[in-house]
Amino acid sequence: MCAWLLPLFVSIVSLVFGYDEADLLFVGDAMQHQAQLDAARTSKTDYDYSQYFSAITPLVSVADYAVVNLETPVSAPPYSGYPCFNAPPQFVDALSDAGFDLFLTANNHTLDRGARGLRSTIECLDERGLPHLGTYSTDSARSKALPLVVDVNKFKIGFLNYTYGTNGIEPRDGVCVDYINRARMKEDISAARAAGAELICVCIHWGDEYKLLPNTSQRHLADFLEALGVDMIIGAHPHVIQPMELRPNKYFPEKNVLVVYSLGNFVSNMKTPDTRGGAMTHIKLFRGEDKKPIVKSAAYRLLFTVPGTSPAKNFHVMEADSVTDTQWRPRALDFARRARKIFDAHNIGVEEVQPTH
């Protein structure tokens, strides 16, 4: 069937048989290290990211709603990589052009450029009409922005975003960062439901960096959110993948809960075998004749960042098995082998989408 006919076909089938479906997509940390900035720079002030995501844009753009963790401020120059990130607005444009709909901003680097950088990031996203979540210019701005309930193919989804910390930098000048706080999270979840959310998705920056398995704190917090009836718990921060679980909610057996402990890096210049890539998670929502929405299924793809050294050979993200560059293909396959070893041993109910070539 022609790709352009598929949405029409799904709509007709849904109408005839009385069910609804929606496809969500999540990726991990979108970062900008110095080598990435150097490779993308075409002049003193211009940056070209046009080919960054071209290989995976077809995968992102077909989702009904796609979410990315923007792990860098987007503020005035000078631009910089680790340890205090700051990226040009062209990076946001490239993510938007790739098809991402929601930008998460609550992470440990969100205050790398202080309150001014946080506000500049929000202004950049607002100027482009891009929804964002997790940081706010003031407390009153947070009150206006939340609850964020998005209608995705007739599913009303409440999105929330929290971080464990901001590298010891305290919010100043009235800016607001959503830190992990159980009392506030419980209030936010209740407010989202009161605003009409049928499903709740909590995106959370947590865990130990470079650890391939979740720690006790992650598991306890996931259990807390599961007990509140959260449907999707999507994790980031460790810069490596961690297991995924889709199973009946042990407190509400009539519904499922999806826990993704870490999606790893979406794009970065990290160099260890496990940090060169990450996972893309596809989630299928379903509502049948009983009119109750559920997280029906989830699957993952493995992504790998192929580095570049100049504008002629910029960084780009690909499915790990699709890397053909002779220098980087062995490293991509090694990353994929290591990730699959973890997923095969620890995933529950979440399998790999067959790679495309």
Side-chain angles (χ1 to χ4, degrees):
M1 180 181 295
C2 296
W4 63 271
L5 281 174
L6 184 58
L8 178 60
F9 175 77
V10 171
S11 296
I12 293 172
V13 171
S14 174
L15 184 63
V16 171
F17 291 97
Y19 67 81
D20 298 318
E21 288 188 337
D23 294 308
L24 307 183
L25 180 147
F26 293 82
V27 297
D29 303 333
M31 311 187 76
Q32 279 292 282
H33 290 93
Q34 190 62 50
Q36 295 172 270
L37 293 166
D38 293 342
R41 187 168 55 237
T42 57
S43 71
K44 188 174 182 179
T45 58
D46 293 326
Y47 291 78
D48 178 15
Y49 295 96
S50 58
Q51 299 303 309
Y52 239 57
F53 307 116
S54 58
I56 53 96
T57 293
L59 304 177
V60 179
S61 59
V62 297
D64 295 309
Y65 204 71
V67 182
V68 60
N69 176 46
L70 181 64
E71 191 153 0
T72 173
V74 183
S75 187
Y79 303 120
S80 58
Y82 182 83
C84 288
F85 290 104
N86 186 32
Q90 290 92 336
F91 183 52
V92 167
D93 292 334
L95 288 164
S96 176
D97 291 343
F100 289 102
D101 301 292
L102 178 62
F103 289 69
L104 308 175
T105 57
N107 56 67
N108 57 305
H109 287 287
T110 196
L111 287 174
D112 280 5
R113 287 300 176 98
R116 181 177 298 180
L118 183 150
R119 288 196 170 105
S120 293
T121 304
I122 291 172
E123 289 170 4
C124 173
L125 295 167
D126 285 344
E127 286 170 0
R128 289 156 174 77
L130 298 172
H132 53 88
L133 184 66
T135 59
Y136 312 91
S137 57
T138 62
D139 284 336
S140 62
R142 183 187 193 274
S143 297
K144 292 178 182 177
L146 296 181
L148 176 63
V149 179
V150 182
D151 190 327
V152 181
N153 272 15
K154 301 180 182 179
F155 292 87
K156 295 188 182 300
I157 307 169
F159 287 93
L160 295 163
N161 180 210
Y162 305 92
T163 180
Y164 74 94
T166 45
N167 292 344
I169 305 172
E170 296 294 327
R172 297 182 183 276
D173 194 25
V175 300
C176 180
V177 177
D178 274 344
Y179 295 105
I180 294 170
N181 178 294
R182 293 193 179 200
R184 167 160 275 194
M185 296 165 88
K186 185 175 181 179
E187 291 175 0
D188 291 343
I189 291 166
S190 295
R193 287 209 177 92
E198 304 171 286
L199 298 167
I200 303 293
C201 177
V202 174
C203 301
I204 191 163
H205 217 69
W206 61 358
D208 296 323
E209 290 184 330
Y210 319 122
K211 299 297 185 181
L212 291 163
L213 294 175
N215 62 28
T216 301
S217 176
Q218 285 171 276
R219 292 190 180 278
H220 286 173
L221 188 54
D223 188 71
F224 168 77
L225 294 171
E226 182 178 355
L228 293 177
V230 170
D231 302 275
M232 293 165 277
I233 304 165
I234 311 295
H237 174 63
H239 300 302
V240 296
I241 60 90
Q242 292 181 345
M244 309 175 183
E245 301 175 0
L246 176 62
R247 49 181 170 71
N249 184 308
K250 55 180 171 281
Y251 302 97
F252 304 94
E254 72 279 4
K255 63 192 301 184
N256 293 331
V257 60
L258 172 67
V259 183
V260 177
Y261 284 106
S262 175
L263 288 166
N265 288 331
F266 175 48
V267 60
S268 79
N269 189 46
M270 289 190 170
K271 294 182 171 62
T272 60
D274 295 321
T275 61
R276 279 289 186 189
M280 171 186 286
T281 297
H282 302 262
I283 302 170
K284 177 79 71 177
L285 306 181
F286 180 82
R287 188 201 319 270
E289 293 182 358
D290 62 3
K291 304 303 180 184
K292 295 179 180 178
I294 62 166
V295 180
K296 181 180 180 181
S297 63
Y300 71 88
R301 299 178 192 268
L302 293 175
L303 306 178
F304 186 83
T305 297
V306 179
T309 56
S310 71
K313 189 182 179 185
N314 210 335
F315 283 65
H316 53 286
V317 180
M318 303 181 67
E319 289 187 82
D321 288 345
S322 298
V323 174
T324 57
D325 182 282
T326 54
Q327 177 184 358
W328 292 103
R329 179 167 174 78
R331 302 188 198 191
L333 295 180
D334 183 50
F335 160 76
R337 178 187 61 80
R338 296 165 67 94
R340 288 181 179 121
K341 183 178 180 181
I342 292 295
F343 286 152
D344 290 348
H346 299 281
N347 275 18
I348 299 173
V350 183
E351 297 184 353
E352 184 175 10
V353 178
Q354 289 304 306
T356 58
H357 299 285

